[in-house]
Amino acid sequence: MQPTATVLVYSDDSTTREQVRLATGRRPAPDAPLVEFVECATPEAVVRELDKGGIDVCVLDGEAVPMGGMGVCRQIKDEIFNCPPVLVLIARPQDAWLATWSRADAAVALPVEPVEFASALAALLRRRALQGA
């Protein structure tokens, strides 16, 4: 596994972005790489960063404004070649079907629960490493 992974975090709310950083820590699991973050507060910034390349996993806030993470997820899955895995933060467990519609690879509920979040992120990082990205 690579020594460092880059995780893009999209939310218009700086508190949500901070929750993601704190839940991840330096690495989400002992067998996962160290994590560096790229933070985005707008959908346009997400697309710009993905166009640059080098993103291993995206974490998208389903409650972000003006465009929620599920809409952004569906867009990037359509527009970005070899789109990295996406973890969507959802407000309610009942929203899991919307995460499926958006083609998210995983979903966890808000507010961020550190153990659940870190486990989901580590699984996506492992999968990305296996794909040889």
Side-chain angles (χ1 to χ4, degrees):
M1 187 171 283
Q2 63 198 23
T4 304
T6 303
V7 175
L8 181 145
V9 181
Y10 163 64
S11 179
D12 65 313
D13 184 348
S14 63
T15 304
T16 301
R17 295 192 308 266
E18 179 182 32
Q19 287 177 15
V20 167
R21 286 192 320 271
L22 292 174
T24 304
R26 292 182 47 144
R27 66 177 71 212
D31 65 333
L34 293 173
V35 172
E36 293 179 355
F37 295 98
V38 173
E39 294 186 32
C40 299
T42 66
E44 297 80 15
V46 171
V47 173
R48 212 172 23 252
E49 289 297 331
L50 288 171
D51 282 343
K52 290 180 190 176
I55 303 296
D56 295 296
V57 173
C58 296
V59 177
L60 309 177
D61 179 2
E63 301 303 304
V65 174
M67 185 174 187
M70 288 182 262
V72 172
C73 180
R74 190 156 177 102
Q75 177 184 347
I76 65 176
K77 290 289 187 170
D78 285 341
E79 296 178 3
I80 304 296
F81 176 73
N82 199 21
C83 184
V86 176
L87 173 59
V88 175
L89 305 174
I90 56 176
R92 306 171 306 151
Q94 299 91 325
D95 292 337
W97 73 272
L98 285 170
T100 302
W101 166 85
S102 74
R103 293 187 252 155
D105 299 279
V108 296
L110 284 168
V112 174
E113 195 285 311
V115 173
E116 177 188 20
F117 177 82
S119 176
L121 179 59
L124 293 179
L125 288 169
R126 288 183 202 106
R127 187 168 93 190
R128 182 75 166 175
L130 289 174
Q131 292 173 350

